[in-house]
Structures are given as C-alpha cells and as structure tokens.
Amino acid sequence: MKRWFSLQSLLLVGLLCWLGSCHSRTNEKESAEKILSSPPYAGLTDSIRQFPKNQDLYMQRAVLLSQNDKHELAMLDYKKAWELKPEQYIATQYVSNLMLVNKPDEAVKLLKESIAKWPENPNLHRRLSEIYAQLGDPQKAIDQYDEWAQQDSLNFEVWYEKGVLLAKLKDTPAAIQSLERSYKVQPINYNGLALASLYAATLNPKVITLCDELIKKDTTGIINDVLYLKGSFYSDTKQYDKAMEMFNQCISHDWKFTDAYIEKGIVLYDLKKTDSALKVFTMAATVSNTNADAWYWMARCYEVQGKKELAQVNYERALALDKNFQEAREGLKRLKK
C-alpha cells in the first residue's frame, strides 16, 4: 500500500505541476494580450489585426515596446518583421533586442545570416565582433574583423575597429599596426587621434609628427587633445620645457581642461618646484572638485612640505572620490608610520 500511495502521490504532483505550467503559460499569454491591447500599443495592435502582413507596423510596435522595456514582447515583433521581409535595418535592431533578452547564440546566428546576405554592411561585421568580445571570445572577434578586411581591405573602419579591440586586449603593437593601416587608407581625425594616443603611450616619437599633421587639418576641435598628447610625450621623455609649453597652450584654449593642469603640476613636482606645483593642483581641484588626481597630488605636495595633517586630509578626499585609488591609500600608510 505504501508503494502504491507513493506512486499515486508522484502522479498527482506531476499532474499539478503540469496544470500549473499550463496555467502559467495561459496567464503569460493573457498578460501579453492585455499589454498589447492597452495604450500606447492598442492602436498599432488593431492595425496589425487588420494588416497582419504589414512589416512596418510590427517594427513600429517593436520599437515602442523596446522604449518601454518590454523587450520580450518586442522580440516577437522583431522576429515577425524579419520573417515577413529580411532587411538590414531590421537585422541590426533585432540583434540588439536578442542581446537584451540574453539570447546571444540567436544574435550570432542572425548576424551570420545577415552578413551572408549583405557582406558590404560594416555595421553587421562590427556588431558580430562586438558580441564575440562580450562573450569572452576575443579571437573570434579578431577573426571576424579579418574576414571583413578580406572582403573590403580599403575600408578604414575595419582597421580602426580592429585596432580599438586589440588596444583593449592590451596587444599594443598589433593595435598600432591596425590603426596605422586605417590612417593610411583614410587619414582623418578620430583614427589619427587613436593612433597618436598609442604612440604617446609607447613613447614613440612618431606622435609629434602625427599630432602636427592633425593640428594642421583640424576641423572638429580636437586641437586640445592633440596638444595634450604632445605634452604627455614630452613630459614622459623629460623634455620639460616643451611639455610645459604644450600644457599651457591647452589651458589657454580651455581653462577647464583639468588633465592639462594635472600634467603641468606633475612636471613642476618632478622639477621639485613644490610650491608652484601645489598652486597648479589647487587650480585643478577648483576647476573640477571631483577629480581625485587633483586632491592626491595636492596631498603629495603637502607630504613633501612636511604638512602631514593637510596631506592626510587630501589623501582621504582622493580616496572618497575613488575608492580604488591605491596610491592614495599608500600615501595614508606612509603618514601613519
């Protein structure tokens, strides 16, 4: 009897679970229908009932649902619009939706299908590479850029995008090669600035020539960024007079350029002109009182001057703004010795 009762109980539990599942699915369906039949979707839903093969109506409702964070429901409309007529603009929006509902495998499948249809579309290649990178598979991301480059080697964007990814992966030499290729194909400000940043970071003197080129043809207001990169290179290579000239030019162009104040102050600090450095760092903190570096370097100056209480206060301010500011934490430890 006990065995029969146990089997009967299991069957009953299974039946209840099945009924519960059906009830849950019914509730979900009713909930979806209720949402779609209510404002602001009701008008579009009525139109879709009248014209069930009108792709634009599904896309309009999908976008509206997405704007209101109804991504699961939006996915069904994107899918329907895609099934009615696959188009490039639908593919890009549908892929974004699939990522939002945590369906990366379906997004990858859709992108591969779309790239096969429209291999010349750079956004599709870029998006697939981005998704591979998000999924923690950088090699597939790089391979995708290489595939794109084989199809369109004169497209500067493929080399730029690949260079940016390689820079994120800390493969700086390969990133420089890719950005150089991009700049050679189409020498414009944003790929030139990215390349100059890597030149400056690696103390490559090519940064000066490239920055001078960018300054001559600047039409988008990047001159301060370029001057800053030149100043950083001069500072890192201990050409302090030239560095000061660049940072002063930055500040004269934009008195709120906080980073230029910080770098100028560091030059003065390295030259042991502590009083002058402190004035510059104080100005940086005045321009931007949320800049942790400004408070940190003020603390460094006070520490050198033997003003431990002021140094401690400013190290603490830096840490309050950036809890991961390890150098500020180390400064506090030094003061406590």
Side-chain angles (χ1 to χ4, degrees), residues 16-245:
L16 289 172
C17 288
W18 180 78
L19 290 172
S21 175
C22 290
H23 181 67
S24 176
R25 286 196 295 271
T26 300
N27 284 345
E28 287 178 6
K29 184 176 180 181
E30 290 176 352
S31 177
E33 289 177 352
K34 184 177 180 180
I35 291 170
L36 296 177
S37 299
S38 302
Y41 316 108
L44 285 167
T45 301
D46 288 341
S47 297
I48 286 172
R49 289 196 186 103
Q50 294 179 53
F51 308 101
K53 293 187 178 181
N54 188 315
Q55 181 190 61
D56 289 339
L57 291 173
Y58 286 102
M59 283 300 295
Q60 289 177 43
R61 192 171 70 175
V63 170
L64 188 57
L65 286 162
S66 294
Q67 291 171 346
N68 290 291
D69 295 326
K70 307 291 184 185
H71 301 299
E72 294 284 352
L73 288 176
M75 177 182 66
L76 300 176
D77 280 351
Y78 283 122
K79 182 179 180 181
K80 184 64 177 178
W82 175 256
E83 289 173 347
L84 285 170
K85 186 181 179 183
E87 294 192 49
Q88 296 180 59
Y89 81 100
I90 296 176
T92 55
Q93 293 184 64
Y94 188 11
V95 164
S96 295
N97 170 265
L98 288 169
M99 293 302 292
L100 285 170
V101 297
N102 197 28
K103 294 183 181 291
D105 290 342
E106 291 185 31
V108 168
K109 181 180 178 182
L110 177 60
L111 280 168
K112 287 183 175 179
E113 180 183 340
S114 300
I115 288 170
K117 291 177 181 291
W118 305 290
E120 74 288 348
N121 187 322
N123 291 325
L124 298 174
H125 291 279
R126 181 186 299 110
R127 194 73 179 97
L128 182 54
S129 295
E130 289 172 351
I131 290 174
Y132 280 140
Q134 288 173 4
L135 294 176
D137 197 338
Q139 188 55 55
K140 279 189 177 180
I142 292 169
D143 290 344
Q144 180 58 38
Y145 282 123
D146 289 340
E147 180 183 327
W148 180 11
Q150 287 177 1
Q151 295 173 1
D152 189 3
S153 62
L154 295 180
N155 187 328
F156 76 95
E157 288 184 303
V158 61
W159 302 109
Y160 172 78
E161 297 287 348
K162 182 181 177 182
V164 170
L165 174 61
L166 288 165
K168 289 178 181 177
L169 296 173
K170 310 297 184 185
D171 190 349
T172 306
I176 288 174
Q177 287 182 358
S178 191
L179 288 171
E180 285 177 336
R181 184 75 177 266
S182 176
Y183 189 73
K184 183 178 180 180
V185 172
Q186 184 71 44
I188 56 178
N189 282 348
Y190 75 82
N191 59 5
L193 193 58
L195 178 57
S197 297
L198 291 185
Y199 281 157
T202 55
L203 302 184
N204 189 328
K206 288 181 180 179
V207 66
I208 302 302
T209 303
L210 177 55
C211 283
D212 288 341
E213 285 181 15
L214 293 171
I215 289 172
K216 285 179 182 178
K217 59 186 179 184
D218 177 37
T219 57
T220 58
I222 65 163
I223 187 167
N224 252 19
D225 295 319
V226 175
L227 291 171
Y228 178 79
L229 286 174
K230 288 181 70 174
S232 298
F233 172 79
Y234 286 136
S235 176
D236 291 338
T237 54
K238 302 189 184 307
Q239 300 179 64
Y240 293 128
D241 289 343
K242 290 182 178 180
M244 290 291 285
E245 182 185 348

